[in-house]
Amino acid sequence: MSERGEQLVLDLDGYEGPIDLLLALAREQKVDLARISILQLADQYLAFIGEQRRLQLEVAADYLVMAAWLAYLKSRLLLPEPPEDEGGPSAVELAEALAHRLRLLEAMQRAGASLMARPLLGRDVFQHGAPEGLATIDQPVFELSLYELLKSYGENHRRQHGQVLTILPSAYQSLSDALEHLAQFIGRVPDWRELMAFLPEALRDGPLYRSALAATFAATLELAKAGRVELHQERAFGPLYLRSGSRASEAEAGPE
Amino acid sequence: MNERLRLLEALLFAAPEPLGEAELALRLGDEADLPALLRELAGNYAGRGINLVGIAGGWTFRTAPDLATALKSEREVPRRLSRAAVETLAVIAYHQPVTRAEIEAIRGVGLARGTLDRLLESGWVQPKGRRESPGRPLNWVTTPQFLAHFGLDSLKELPGVEELRQSGLLDIGPAVIGELAAPEDEAGEEAEAEG
Amino acid sequence: MNERLRLLEALLFAAPEPLGEAELALRLGDEADLPALLRELAGNYAGRGINLVGIAGGWTFRTAPDLATALKSEREVPRRLSRAAVETLAVIAYHQPVTRAEIEAIRGVGLARGTLDRLLESGWVQPKGRRESPGRPLNWVTTPQFLAHFGLDSLKELPGVEELRQSGLLDIGPAVIGELAAPEDEAGEEAEAEG
């Protein structure tokens, strides 16, 4: 290839893709992009690519795809539109879509240039070179409730003095105590009543509440097994109800 | 000088980044009329070598733009962005949230890997969420650092953004040739970016 | 405002460290009367939230010293005490004045170094005087903040051992008897508390 050719022909390396090349060629038409002639532009583009190939310069695939598409668009623009609508866009619509892309890219190229022309931080304007900083001092706030404090003391106390204080068997309500207590009510409770109602009065609030509840519960199970009471619970963890069972009176008569 | 104004001045001066009005209000106390104080302070600095400016949703001091040349020799010149990177940045800024495929459609060329990397590295763009469309592609958006670097208070201040919206140039429009997207020659672009 | 003064202001503001007069003279040009400019600038900032100060052989802007406290902000960070610290606090509360050795005897386990430090940091305990016994160990007591935090008017309001037992806090059921012999691993416990 001749040196003259190389000098005259712009290298494709200077373009950011086919639309960018089209845009550059459109600018040579020196008309507003809104009134650009796509037909004329297609000719310019095809001529440019043709020249590149004649000079055996490498032409990237996407430029060739665009060239083929423009040749197709040109033929459709020159021929009369087929009378019936084939469903696809018309040649005019295709041309307008391309023109829109040209305007879009041009807008973005301008926008990029305006952005870069702004007073940029670190290039044109500077922030404070040695900001002292705004100190934030972390102030620990300890979270502890009186309950946790007392409980901890209790646990410690228990660990240290547990041996002395452990055994207080008489303070428990045993299963047999509970059975005896419940037996008084059997036969006298026709309707459902909550299990809690059967707890011995004295044990309802004190420290023995839990053991009393457990013993009473176990006793009702024993009695239910024997058919002397019936149990009923509406949902898991819901209140437990009991009433006298079918064999309440019979069993009441017999020795336990 | 009023004590609140002095404190506001010192706070903005000491903070390494623009301070939002919420944080300023917190530090100045509820009784402070923050907008009035900011106006007064901005007025004090108007025409000086340092100006009070609203940036990225906050307030900070910056050197006056007209002193750029006089201050420049002080600093090393930041690496120039390639044309591809500038265009890509503009597309992300004006069209966000935007997918890679949309960036390629608008620019009419495939996106070289280095281009987005470079913008990510600058901290100016970031992926944010995915598009609910086939392939669930990533959405790209600009960051607060982008606003800070380009001296913008918000995306509404992007140059010419309203005109572009009104003339339909923020809509990508129908596809052309089923979108041409052969990838750019990466090595070539990188070389250009460094140049 | 005079252009040289504006430039001086911007230079000092943007510089990462104090600028010496030689460098300033270079940047401002030979004709500049640097001492006069510096005097004028310092005068502009006198009494403001930022002051021009001579530091380390150069000039720089600094926030006014009287604003130092106002520029700091405190942030409350919730922290929890380790089990060992809570128990130690309880022992001090119930047995004060109490020495370290007594705390260890009552808890039946050695006191890790960090435990008392942590309690000191909470502001709930303090040393108060020394025991007149060999080694003159420190006495530990609780503070007024301790009472305030737990909503107590006086130490007398701390429930007694018998009351604790009645309210179930000293509950000694069969299920817990097995725990009696379990030795406490102080180091392990502290580590857990920090984690």
Side-chain angles (χ1 to χ4, degrees):
Chain A
M1 87 191 70
S2 70
E3 284 186 8
R4 197 173 53 94
E6 276 186 28
Q7 282 162 356
L8 285 181
V9 177
L10 277 170
D11 199 319
L12 271 179
D13 283 354
Y15 299 98
E16 295 278 339
I19 302 277
D20 184 41
L21 172 56
L22 275 169
L23 196 55
L25 295 171
R27 289 194 185 107
E28 288 177 13
Q29 286 192 19
K30 294 195 167 60
V31 291
D32 191 313
L33 266 189
R35 287 176 292 132
I36 194 82
S37 160
I38 291 295
L39 206 54
Q40 192 188 338
L41 192 58
D43 280 336
Q44 281 175 280
Y45 185 93
L46 293 171
F48 185 94
I49 296 296
E51 182 70 1
Q52 297 282 312
R53 304 192 79 179
R54 195 182 61 76
L55 295 170
Q56 294 177 319
L57 293 170
E58 198 180 334
V59 178
D62 46 352
Y63 289 91
L64 297 178
V65 171
M66 177 61 89
W69 187 80
L70 284 173
Y72 160 78
L73 177 64
K74 186 182 159 191
S75 68
R76 282 203 43 192
L77 284 170
L78 290 174
L79 293 173
E81 283 287 314
E84 67 189 83
D85 186 13
E86 287 167 15
S90 69
V92 175
E93 283 165 347
L94 286 175
E96 174 46 33
L98 179 63
H100 179 73
R101 284 301 167 84
L102 292 175
R103 291 193 291 271
L104 212 57
L105 180 60
E106 190 196 37
M108 287 303 104
Q109 289 181 349
R110 288 209 175 130
S114 337
L115 280 176
M116 299 314 287
R118 291 184 61 81
L120 298 191
L121 184 63
R123 186 188 75 179
D124 307 307
V125 295
F126 300 93
Q127 55 194 0
H128 189 193
E132 292 155 55
L134 294 174
T136 306
I137 298 154
D138 283 356
Q139 200 64 44
V141 179
F142 289 90
E143 293 174 336
L144 183 66
S145 67
L146 184 60
Y147 171 74
E148 289 169 298
L149 179 73
L150 299 178
K151 190 160 166 288
S152 163
Y153 187 66
E155 279 168 6
N156 178 57
H157 198 276
R158 188 191 67 219
R159 244 188 354 256
Q160 299 307 310
H161 305 277
Q163 295 89 333
V164 203
L165 297 168
T166 27
I167 314 300
L168 292 168
S170 61
Y172 283 85
Q173 199 199 25
S174 67
L175 178 57
S176 53
D177 291 341
L179 275 170
E180 199 175 313
H181 178 74
L182 268 184
Q184 307 169 44
F185 300 105
I186 289 172
R188 293 178 204 160
V189 188
D191 292 326
W192 292 114
R193 279 181 69 186
E194 213 189 324
L195 175 65
M196 302 291 283
F198 296 98
L199 285 194
E201 200 77 43
L203 299 180
R204 261 180 223 174
D205 300 314
L208 294 180
Y209 163 73
R210 277 188 292 175
S211 76
L213 183 61
T216 305
F217 175 63
T220 59
L221 292 181
E222 285 286 318
L223 292 169
K225 206 165 69 179
R228 296 177 60 191
V229 300
E230 289 177 356
L231 293 174
H232 169 72
Q233 189 178 28
E234 303 207 325
R235 55 188 152 78
F237 305 111
L240 197 60
Y241 295 93
L242 78 159
R243 68 177 177 192
S244 302
S246 51
R247 295 167 58 202
S249 48
E250 158 203 343
E252 198 183 10
E256 181 57 46
Chain B
M1 190 176 186
N2 146 355
E3 277 308 302
R4 283 234 171 72
L5 198 62
R6 291 184 71 222
L7 180 55
L8 176 63
E9 185 180 46
L11 280 168
L12 291 169
F13 178 82
E17 289 175 350
L19 288 178
E21 299 194 6
E23 165 135 33
L24 286 171
L26 200 72
R27 287 176 176 268
L28 288 171
D30 292 336
E31 321 83 69
D33 181 355
L34 188 58
L37 287 170
L38 284 166
R39 256 195 317 276
E40 186 176 350
L41 195 62
N44 288 170
Y45 279 92
R48 295 193 68 103
I50 315 171
N51 301 150
L52 179 61
V53 288
I55 295 283
W59 293 90
T60 191
F61 287 114
R62 291 229 171 140
T63 56
D66 65 294
L67 294 174
T69 320
L71 290 171
K72 198 159 287 177
S73 64
E74 178 89 338
R75 309 274 155 168
E76 38 184 287
V77 180
R79 204 155 58 122
R80 282 184 60 82
L81 283 179
S82 69
R83 235 186 90 191
V86 172
E87 274 182 34
T88 303
L89 179 62
V91 171
I92 295 174
Y94 284 77
H95 290 267
Q96 61 188 301
V98 65
T99 65
R100 185 188 179 101
E102 287 167 343
I103 299 170
E104 292 177 334
I106 292 168
R107 295 194 55 234
V109 71
L111 199 52
R113 190 172 313 147
T115 308
L116 265 182
D117 284 357
R118 177 71 203 283
L119 294 175
L120 256 175
E121 193 192 356
S122 315
W124 295 336
V125 305
Q126 64 177 47
K128 190 175 182 189
R130 290 181 179 276
R131 188 68 58 84
E132 289 305 332
S133 61
R136 303 191 72 243
L138 279 175
N139 273 326
W140 290 86
V141 297
T142 54
T143 61
Q145 291 101 290
F146 164 79
L147 295 176
H149 186 85
F150 289 89
L152 300 164
D153 195 21
S154 76
L155 293 172
K156 291 197 191 86
E157 290 190 356
L158 284 171
V161 69
E162 207 34 56
E163 294 92 301
L164 289 178
R165 191 185 317 285
Q166 279 163 16
S167 46
L169 290 175
L170 295 186
D171 300 321
I172 297 179
V176 178
I177 341 176
E179 294 320 341
L180 17 90
E184 257 171 298
D185 177 39
E186 265 175 51
E189 191 191 342
E190 281 299 318
E192 179 205 351
E194 305 302 329
Chain C
M1 191 176 184
N2 147 355
E3 279 308 303
R4 282 229 175 73
L5 200 60
R6 291 185 71 222
L7 180 55
L8 175 62
E9 186 177 55
L11 279 169
L12 290 169
F13 170 82
E17 47 200 33
L19 291 178
E21 297 192 9
E23 165 140 31
L24 286 172
L26 203 69
R27 302 296 306 259
L28 291 170
D30 292 338
E31 323 84 70
D33 180 354
L34 188 56
L37 285 171
L38 284 167
R39 250 195 322 278
E40 187 177 348
L41 196 60
N44 288 170
Y45 280 91
R48 297 192 65 104
I50 315 170
N51 301 150
L52 180 62
V53 291
I55 281 189
W59 292 89
T60 191
F61 287 114
R62 283 287 159 87
T63 51
D66 65 298
L67 294 175
T69 319
L71 287 173
K72 285 181 195 144
S73 73
E74 288 190 353
R75 178 175 55 184
E76 295 193 339
V77 188
R79 296 256 283 276
R80 293 196 64 84
L81 290 171
S82 68
R83 233 184 85 193
V86 175
E87 268 190 39
T88 304
L89 177 63
V91 169
I92 295 174
Y94 275 91
H95 297 269
Q96 60 188 297
V98 63
T99 66
R100 184 189 181 98
E102 286 166 346
I103 296 170
E104 290 177 335
I106 292 167
R107 290 191 58 229
V109 70
L111 201 50
R113 189 174 314 148
T115 307
L116 269 178
D117 289 351
R118 209 65 192 291
L119 286 175
L120 267 171
E121 200 188 344
S122 72
W124 291 336
V125 306
Q126 61 183 35
K128 190 176 181 186
R130 289 180 182 276
R131 189 68 57 84
E132 289 306 332
S133 63
R136 303 191 69 245
L138 277 176
N139 273 325
W140 290 88
V141 297
T142 54
T143 62
Q145 291 101 288
F146 169 83
L147 293 177
H149 179 88
F150 293 100
L152 302 168
D153 278 338
S154 77
L155 291 169
K156 290 198 192 81
E157 287 188 8
L158 278 176
V161 171
E162 198 46 46
E163 289 167 291
L164 290 181
R165 184 176 295 121
Q166 276 169 14
S167 58
L169 288 166
L170 278 181
D171 197 4
I172 34 157
V176 300
I177 288 175
E179 283 180 20
L180 289 177
E184 190 183 351
D185 177 350
E186 184 84 11
E189 190 186 341
E190 287 290 87
E192 173 206 352
E194 304 300 331

